[in-house]
Amino acid sequence: MARRSVRRGDKDVDFSHAAYCADQLTRNGAAHRLTDVGDHDHNESVRQALPRIVRFFDESAKTH
């Protein structure tokens, strides 16, 4: 499953980019989930998302 962390209030990267990526994943049959990481600026959004991304890959590695 693909996961993408987003923040609707991000002033640097518009939410429509995440919606576009989600649409492309859906069209290609990929399971995915968008995750709102909270009301943070762009850089803090990255800091909030990175531990979640690492945890996702760590958990995925345990199941394979």
Side-chain angles (χ1 to χ4, degrees):
M1 171 186 289
R3 294 185 184 184
R4 182 163 172 106
S5 299
V6 299
R7 179 176 113 34
R8 288 186 182 268
D10 192 330
K11 303 299 185 226
D12 295 314
V13 179
D14 190 74
F15 180 78
S16 65
H17 291 259
Y20 174 81
C21 291
D23 182 56
Q24 293 299 306
L25 289 166
T26 299
R27 288 178 188 219
N28 287 286
H32 63 88
R33 181 174 67 184
L34 291 177
T35 302
D36 186 338
V37 296
D39 190 22
H40 305 289
D41 66 22
H42 185 70
N43 291 329
E44 185 59 27
S45 294
V46 172
R47 286 191 276 285
Q48 293 294 317
L50 285 176
R52 297 171 195 219
I53 294 165
V54 170
R55 188 168 37 253
F56 168 76
F57 282 108
D58 285 347
E59 290 170 3
S60 294
K62 291 176 187 175
T63 62
H64 291 96

